[in-house]
Amino acid sequence: MTNPLPGILHSVQWQFSDGSKGYPVASDVVNQFRIQNVEVVRVRIPRVSKTQGVLVVGNKNGVRKTDALFLLPSSEGQSKDLDGASLSKAQTTGPVSVPDVGDVDIYTSADKMVCFIMSNREPSLREGVSSVRLASGVQAEFQSAQGVNSLWYPYGSRTFLVAGNADRSQLVSVANNYTPNRVFFSLEGLQGDGHGSVGT
């Protein structure tokens, strides 16, 4: 589907304390972006003002599956800025392993969302890719497509990806301040305390 959003929203059902049920709708979406073959959708939860949801949806062989649903405190009152200096104050989902994607962690501010992915797969390079040298001296590849900026670079035998609706300078600031070791507590499988397994 060109627009998978309706199916993604219908893959989650809210059950409220009074026994009623409901699905997220398009007007609940705070922000959404696609990274490689992964959709990340942040939604408000009706009648629950203090919590928001972040859905991570993978695409394997043309079939989309909601691999993870994170619950975060609402962005109300949060700073709108999200760069390397302010990221530590943002809400984070905490690292989890998402099938067919890799290790994922997502940080959110009032109106921005940055996703970190540690994957065994190399990103598929498209047109408009440019090189950026990070403060560490590492050369990263930068791309802007469909409202999403992304930076990636090899880390050992894996690929580290930083992406989101932050602008280029903010994303470079995030990449300079947040190394793979700082985002993921264990890079050797899922043995670190910061990881949890998520399935459907």
Side-chain angles (χ1 to χ4, degrees), residues 15-20 47:
Q15 181 162 340
F16 302 104
S17 56
D18 64 1
S20 62
R47 299 157 53 188

Side-chain angles (χ1 to χ4, degrees), residues 24 27 71 76-77 83 92 97 99-100 107 119 138 159-160 165 186 200:
S27 59
L71 296 179
E76 187 179 343
D83 56 24
T92 175
S97 176
D100 303 317
Y107 284 73
S119 176
V138 169
T159 298
F160 186 57
N165 62 345
S186 169
T200 50

Side-chain angles (χ1 to χ4, degrees), residues 7-163:
I8 291 171
L9 296 179
H10 203 71
S11 72
V12 172
Q13 184 183 67
W14 307 125
Q15 181 162 340
F16 302 104
S17 56
D18 64 1
S20 62
K21 298 178 181 178
Y23 292 95
V25 295
S27 59
D28 295 329
V29 174
V30 179
N31 38 37
Q32 165 196 13
F33 55 73
R34 180 179 299 171
I35 319 166
Q36 301 297 307
N37 254 350
V38 182
E39 302 279 345
V40 181
V41 183
R42 179 181 172 191
V43 293
R44 299 180 191 89
I45 302 175
R47 299 157 53 188
V48 182
S49 60
K50 295 185 177 179
T51 306
Q52 292 181 339
V54 178
L55 293 88
V56 180
V57 181
N59 182 341
K60 186 174 183 181
N61 300 324
V63 177
R64 287 187 173 87
K65 182 179 73 169
T66 300
D67 287 315
L69 167 62
F70 302 107
L71 296 179
L72 292 179
S74 168
S75 58
E76 187 179 343
Q78 286 186 32
S79 166
K80 291 189 176 182
D81 295 327
L82 191 57
D83 56 24
S86 66
L87 197 64
S88 60
K89 298 177 183 176
Q91 301 294 344
T92 175
T93 60
V96 297
S97 176
V98 177
D100 303 317
V101 176
D103 294 345
V104 176
D105 196 2
I106 298 164
Y107 284 73
T108 64
S109 69
D111 60 357
K112 291 196 170 56
M113 189 162 60
V114 170
C115 183
F116 297 95
I117 296 179
M118 180 65 76
S119 176
N120 291 323
R121 300 179 182 180
E122 294 219 356
S124 51
L125 298 177
R126 291 171 283 178
E127 292 181 6
V129 175
S130 59
S131 295
V132 176
R133 190 160 298 279
L134 301 178
S136 63
V138 169
Q139 183 167 301
E141 301 302 317
F142 173 84
Q143 185 176 51
S144 182
Q146 299 178 337
V148 182
N149 289 326
S150 56
L151 277 169
W152 64 88
Y153 57 90
Y155 188 81
S157 60
R158 306 180 78 183
T159 298
F160 186 57
L161 173 69
V162 186

